[in-house]
Amino acid sequence: MKSLNLQLRFLAPLVATLVVAAYFALPLMDRLTLRWFARDLNSRGSLVTNALSDSIADALGDSRDARLQTLFDRAVQDERLFAIGLCSLDGTMLRRSGSFPRTLDCKQAQAAADLPEPRLRLAGGAVHVGVHTVDGETGPIAKLVLLHDLSFIDRRSQDTRRYLLLFIAALGLTIALITVVVAQLSWRGWMSGVRGLLRGEGLLRPMMASAEMAPLAAEIRARMRDLEDEYRRAQGPQTNWDAERLRALLRTQLQGDQVIVVSNREPYIHEATAGGVVVRRPASGLVTAVEPVMRACSGTWIAHGSGSADRTVVDRHDRVGVPPGRDEYLLRRIWLSPEEERGYYYGFANEGMWPLCHVAHVRPVFRESDWEHYRNVNQRFADAVVEEARSEDPVVLVQDYHFALVPAMIRARLPRATILTFWHIPWPNPESFGICPWRREILEGMLGSTILGFHTRFHCKNFIETVDRFLEARIEHEHSTISFKGDETLVESYPISIEWPSQAQQAAWPPAPECRRRVFERMGLPADTCLALGVDRFDYTKGILERLHAVERLLEKRPEWIGRFVFVQVAAPSRSLLEEYQTFQERIARLTQRINERFGHSNYRPVHLLAEHHEHDAVTELFRACDICVVTSLHDGMNLVCKEFVAARDDEQGALILSRFAGAAREMTEALIVNPYHVEETADALHRAATMPVAEQRERMASLRMTVRENNVFRWAGHMLTDAGRSRLRERIEARVQSHQAA
Ligand code: G6P
């Protein structure tokens, strides 16, 4: 039925064209035939006149001569010559055949013959009038009026008309047949080819099964991908990403489509305290990065409502406008029972996936009951996305290892959604990942994404190799895409970052020496102390133990630092319900105590452990006060602490020590890069940083600041959303092609 409609669409204009052609061509053809025949009749008339002129000249001498009458009557037996009349030069009718109309005199005949179309309509039909001069020996002697029957012309004209109509009809039919056949073959083939191409299946399968078209199909597809890759590369050096530019991108490339974020950790936590409800910002790299993006995009952020006063501030749809007082976007809270939280968050996500992906020598634990909770909670979040979606094709940003199954779950309910999943933690090699009992389910869930983002190419490569090992999927390494069950996922690296502080924010900071004075005073440090700082969640992946060993080794190796070197570790308690984390925190506390006992004296404590949550401003003050920032993660997707540190140092002072196992080490190459497992190396780096000349600090810091300012979080989001916009454009073209075909 669809293709019949389609062909009718093709044929209707064709038929209309032929009808219009016939409408104009037929009268034109009539006129032309008439003109040709008139010319024929005139020359025929001249012939007849010449043939009769001698007889006429003879007969004119004898008025009683009956020969002319007989001659005329014989001549009109010709079926086309209707009548003959003979006029004198002064216009008197001298003789006429019996068929010559009595009402027609010589003058009227002459007037009719002078018309451009010399025709007369008589009772019997139309006649052609020709008046020819009869020449005698001395010149013109009379005029011969010949009336030719035109009915034969009408007959011929009708015949021609019939033939022409038949010809046009036959032509139309032939063209229609050819059109139908060609349309059937090529339209069907091309359309499904285009669809296949857009789906990334290539033209080969649906469009042209013929083997000879395969190279062409592959070539076109590769070219399209190349163009996209080129475009993406061209985006590389673009600078000046900010909230406004991201907003503009949303308006143009995503046409203001709705953006929904899904994460476990919420950006604002309402806590009940003795002094009333307070709002806390969690220590989470994810939140640090995604929150400014969300402020720029508006939209809805769906997250676990984990604060003790969270329920008291939401509306009846469990939504609350945030940031508090500014209401720039909506936070939709999902409530989890203690069992759900235990199984999904603490259990599967943080005892299973977290150590699995970090490969930080903590054994992952997989429990069947945790997996059940993980699946159910993932389904609840996916359902919430469907509830919040105002259209069939929202842009959904799924965050992190808590929601590996959510992309496919959303895809099942909103097939046209653009799903961007960002994996904030590392992805291990296939061997390490292979120990997960539900590895297939996890991978299949993630491949529901339109785009799957990791911080580094290395993690993308690990993921693609893992899929290759455990799933039957088509992988295109060149373009970094995976096609699974008819859907294509682009696996791409998007290094995450921070929001670069605005001029106003920077202006509000107390000057760095002032921050230093306040911090030193609060901690009772002598002014010449070298202050090193670590700021982390209290997590075994952060290498806190290793850095304390390095501090201890520094004091051992270089006793001149005893009394002059202080290391402050801010450690925000995290996942403390888990035994692994409790044990870790206890170990750190014990080691701190040991180092302090070993090297401390009277007022001097080489290690200060601040195991409590610090708000952003307090952390900024510490960053601005210290001499060295130490980031020694054993494995980290990116690590934003090092970026926050350089952003806080507008005085271009301070040294950064950075683990080579943090994603950030790939772009922040001016830091002192260390292997945290190598205690000696880190101890040396501490010494080197503590003695780094001011000029070198400035040089390194200025370069680091430029990198982070350019590669800020809006650029991260901008690149992902640009890729999403391109993917949506492709989907829309495909939808349009399909609707054309359906119409
Ligand atoms: C890492 C994860 C985030 C998480 C954060 C804090 O950065 O990638 O998803 O939010 O740690 O951990 P928490 O368990 O407290 O949310």
Side-chain angles (χ1 to χ4, degrees), residues 327-347:
D327 294 6
E328 288 170 359
Y329 63 93
L330 281 177
L331 171 60
R332 156 86 191 269
R333 285 174 167 149
I334 304 285
W335 315 115
L336 299 180
S337 67
E339 299 74 46
E340 281 176 324
E341 196 177 353
R342 170 81 235 173
Y344 137 81
Y345 170 73
Y346 286 106

Side-chain angles (χ1 to χ4, degrees), residues 623-677:
F623 281 146
R624 288 169 70 73
C626 73
D627 299 290
I628 307 165
C629 177
V630 192
V631 175
T632 50
S633 313
L634 303 179
H635 206 177
D636 217 331
M638 172 56 68
N639 189 287
L640 295 183
V641 170
C642 48
K643 297 193 175 185
E644 298 274 13
F645 170 61
V646 302
R649 296 312 293 256
D650 56 355
D651 61 341
E652 296 181 342
Q653 288 298 291
L656 173 64
I657 294 176
L658 179 57
S659 162
R660 59 192 289 195
F661 305 123
R666 285 162 205 256
E667 46 182 323
M668 300 182 74
T669 47
E670 295 83 357
L672 298 178
I673 307 289
V674 296
N675 171 0
Y677 291 97

Side-chain angles (χ1 to χ4, degrees), residues 264-265 283-286 345 350 354 400-402 424-425 537 574-575:
N264 173 69
R265 185 58 65 200
S284 158
L286 178 157
Y345 170 73
N350 286 315
W354 179 267
D400 231 352
Y401 60 97
H402 308 90
H424 290 256
I425 63 175
R537 270 185 316 104
S574 178
R575 308 169 194 170

Side-chain angles (χ1 to χ4, degrees), residues 482-709:
I482 300 175
S483 297
F484 182 68
K485 293 189 176 164
D487 285 323
E488 188 183 84
T489 304
L490 171 71
V491 181
E492 190 51 275
S493 62
Y494 305 96
I496 208 167
S497 193
I498 56 160
E499 177 182 19
W500 190 256
S502 67
Q503 292 291 341
Q505 280 169 319
Q506 294 190 35
W509 290 337
E514 172 61 14
C515 293
R516 189 175 178 87
R517 195 192 56 72
R518 287 189 202 174
V519 169
F520 273 48
E521 193 180 294
R522 206 165 51 237
M523 301 184 84
L525 304 178
D528 66 344
T529 306
C530 174
L531 178 61
L533 174 71
V535 178
D536 303 87
R537 270 185 316 104
F538 224 146
D539 195 295
Y540 53 80
T541 60
K542 300 295 178 186
I544 301 173
L545 197 74
E546 288 70 13
R547 91 182 58 141
L548 289 181
H549 282 308
V551 169
E552 185 175 31
R553 184 74 190 116
L554 171 77
L555 300 178
E556 240 172 44
K557 269 174 97 169
R558 300 182 183 272
E560 68 269 24
W561 284 115
I562 298 172
R564 293 200 302 122
F565 183 94
V566 168
F567 177 68
V568 173
Q569 176 67 53
V570 172
S574 178
R575 308 169 194 170
S576 309
L577 220 73
L578 295 178
E579 207 184 311
E580 194 70 50
Y581 282 76
Q582 289 166 12
T583 315
F584 179 70
Q585 289 169 21
E586 286 160 12
R587 267 181 90 182
I588 297 293
R590 275 203 305 276
L591 182 57
T592 303
Q593 195 182 353
R594 184 163 65 75
I595 297 171
N596 284 342
E597 281 170 3
R598 189 171 165 201
F599 299 101
H601 54 77
S602 58
N603 285 334
Y604 174 62
R605 267 193 301 149
V607 180
H608 291 235
L609 180 62
L610 310 178
E612 62 203 3
H613 180 80
H614 282 55
E615 283 301 324
H616 191 256
D617 286 349
V619 174
T620 305
E621 188 183 58
L622 283 168
F623 281 146
R624 288 169 70 73
C626 73
D627 299 290
I628 307 165
C629 177
V630 192
V631 175
T632 50
S633 313
L634 303 179
H635 206 177
D636 217 331
M638 172 56 68
N639 189 287
L640 295 183
V641 170
C642 48
K643 297 193 175 185
E644 298 274 13
F645 170 61
V646 302
R649 296 312 293 256
D650 56 355
D651 61 341
E652 296 181 342
Q653 288 298 291
L656 173 64
I657 294 176
L658 179 57
S659 162
R660 59 192 289 195
F661 305 123
R666 285 162 205 256
E667 46 182 323
M668 300 182 74
T669 47
E670 295 83 357
L672 298 178
I673 307 289
V674 296
N675 171 0
Y677 291 97
H678 194 180
V679 174
E680 207 69 24
E681 185 185 298
T682 313
D684 289 346
L686 282 171
H687 176 70
R688 169 120 165 68
T691 55
M692 189 182 282
V694 168
E696 185 182 342
Q697 287 182 43
R698 173 153 295 124
E699 207 174 314
R700 287 174 183 264
M701 184 56 82
S703 177
L704 285 168
R705 283 171 62 79
M706 202 190 301
T707 305
V708 178
R709 188 170 49 228

